[in-house]
Amino acid sequence: MPEYGYFLAAEEHDPAALIEQARMAEQAGFQALWISDHYHPWNDEQGQSAFVWSVIGALSQAVSLPVETAVTCPTVRIHPAVLAQAAATSAVLTEGRFRLGVGTGEALNEHILGDRWPPARVRLEMLEEAVEVMRRLFTGEEVSHHGKHYTVENARLYTVPDEPVPIDISAFGPKALSLASRVGDGFITMTPDQEMVTRFREGGGGTKPVSGGTKVCYGTDRDACVRTVHRLWYNELLPGEMGQVLPSPRHFEQLHELVTEDMVREKVVCGDDVDQHVSTLRAFADAGFDRVYVNQIGPDQRGFFDFYRTKVLPQLAG
């Protein structure tokens, strides 16, 4: 049976709200936390995007739940040597309950310093080299590295956890999945795809953890929930590679009309049908996932946590 966690959306809520949601998640019986790592929100309606490493520091003092970034891009906006320090400090603060989820990122966040946004093949190369650099630094030894994409000279992390920070790799396509299988300490994806889980395990992942996540909108008025999702998170339903290549929130806003409320109604769990919420999360369990994270879209956070504490999580535990 998987562990069930809560997914903190840093694009939609300010830092204080995220800390309060983490407290409510722990009280409701969730077993772990994911938190997004963005420089920009996907659109201005979401309206937030705090520096995730500051929030993780606060989370370490507010709750006892494990925390993982879902996900950090360690390739362009921040050098992997700097991210290694942030991740190591987070692991120390959480007493070893931190995992670093990484992926190839989005232009939305990574282009801000004027760097070229490379094609997917190059981004995967960069990700693999970044993981290598961070793993070497997690040992606490002095590191010098002169690679194809990164240079590190005489760098040493003095504050490191007892065990190296686990690095889970996000993948949606076959090449990224192959990388996750080869070098990841775990695999992250956002659909309950049993075939991908099997390929990860058979490709070298073995028994390493597979984690997935989904978004829902709890509320007693299903139509109102649909409208909330359509207003805030329509980007989740955009096709193709748009999510990786568009450079700013306003570009995503220009595509809002491509997503209809009917599409939201069909694809996203909205409302207070217990069976629908349970079956959506069980789909991940049936596909072989070890950890499943759920995010509540919109302002009714207290209602969501009460609903999951009393009606959803008890069924998932049975």
Side-chain angles (χ1 to χ4, degrees):
M1 187 177 68
E3 293 182 349
Y4 291 95
Y6 187 70
F7 189 175
L8 297 164
E11 307 96 314
E12 189 185 337
H13 302 282
D14 67 31
L18 294 171
I19 302 306
E20 181 58 24
Q21 289 166 27
R23 291 193 180 101
M24 289 191 288
E26 186 167 40
Q27 292 164 3
F30 285 97
Q31 297 166 287
L33 297 171
W34 262 2
I35 185 167
S36 54
D37 179 2
H38 270 237
Y39 193 89
H40 293 138
W42 295 98
N43 57 70
D44 281 0
E45 280 290 328
Q46 291 173 355
Q48 296 289 331
S49 207
F51 189 56
V52 71
W53 303 104
S54 300
V55 180
I56 290 170
L59 288 172
S60 74
Q61 305 305 299
V63 296
S64 62
L65 298 178
V67 181
E68 179 167 16
T69 54
V71 293
T72 292
C73 179
T75 61
V76 178
R77 171 172 43 111
I78 304 180
H79 193 284
V82 178
L83 281 174
Q85 185 182 31
T89 300
S90 297
V92 170
L93 282 169
T94 58
E95 299 180 335
R97 298 186 306 274
F98 177 76
R99 298 181 76 92
L100 178 63
V102 299
T104 56
E106 303 92 14
L108 175 72
N109 302 302
E110 305 306 319
H111 82 292
I112 58 168
L113 302 179
D115 298 281
R116 173 175 175 264
W117 184 236
R121 176 187 60 80
V122 177
R123 299 202 306 268
L124 282 170
E125 276 184 8
M126 296 172 73
L127 180 61
E128 183 166 6
E129 187 177 337
V131 169
E132 176 190 350
V133 167
M134 291 188 293
R135 284 216 173 105
R136 290 179 63 191
L137 286 163
F138 290 153
T139 65
E141 298 175 359
E142 184 177 295
V143 172
S144 291
H145 170 91
H146 298 272
K148 182 175 180 180
H149 300 286
Y150 302 106
T151 297
V152 179
E153 292 189 352
N154 307 115
R156 178 184 170 190
L157 298 182
Y158 281 80
T159 300
V160 293
D162 294 335
E163 299 293 332
V165 179
I167 302 176
D168 298 336
I169 295 179
S170 172
F172 301 97
K175 292 180 180 179
L177 181 59
S178 175
L179 177 63
S181 300
R182 285 190 297 107
V183 307
D185 293 311
F187 167 45
I188 291 172
T189 193
M190 297 300 287
T191 56
D193 189 326
Q194 186 172 8
E195 181 181 352
M196 290 189 74
V197 174
T198 300
R199 288 168 59 192
F200 169 75
R201 298 208 182 284
E202 293 180 350
T207 60
K208 294 174 182 177
V210 176
S211 301
T214 189
K215 291 182 178 293
V216 304
C217 187
Y218 162 79
T220 56
D221 184 335
R222 184 166 187 252
D223 289 338
C225 289
V226 168
R227 291 192 295 271
T228 295
V229 175
H230 186 251
R231 177 173 61 86
L232 290 172
W233 285 94
Y234 59 87
N235 59 281
E236 291 277 301
L237 301 180
L238 291 173
E241 295 181 71
M242 295 179 187
Q244 285 72 54
V245 301
L246 296 178
S248 75
R250 72 173 180 275
H251 291 100
F252 285 91
E253 289 163 3
Q254 290 167 11
L255 301 180
H256 193 176
E257 64 185 22
L258 296 180
V259 178
T260 67
E261 290 187 6
D262 285 342
M263 291 168 65
V264 171
R265 193 173 280 106
E266 178 184 354
K267 298 290 187 181
V268 182
V269 175
C270 293
D272 59 355
D273 184 326
V274 177
D275 291 340
Q276 192 177 20
H277 284 264
V278 169
S279 65
T280 296
L281 298 185
R282 275 193 175 148
F284 287 90
D286 294 342
F289 282 68
D290 301 291
R291 295 165 185 159
V292 186
Y293 296 80
V294 59
N295 168 254
Q296 161 71 358
I297 294 172
D300 191 7
Q301 298 292 319
R302 173 59 69 185
F304 165 86
F305 285 114
D306 287 344
F307 177 67
Y308 266 65
R309 176 179 56 82
T310 59
K311 297 183 177 180
V312 178
L313 292 180
Q315 289 199 45
L316 292 170

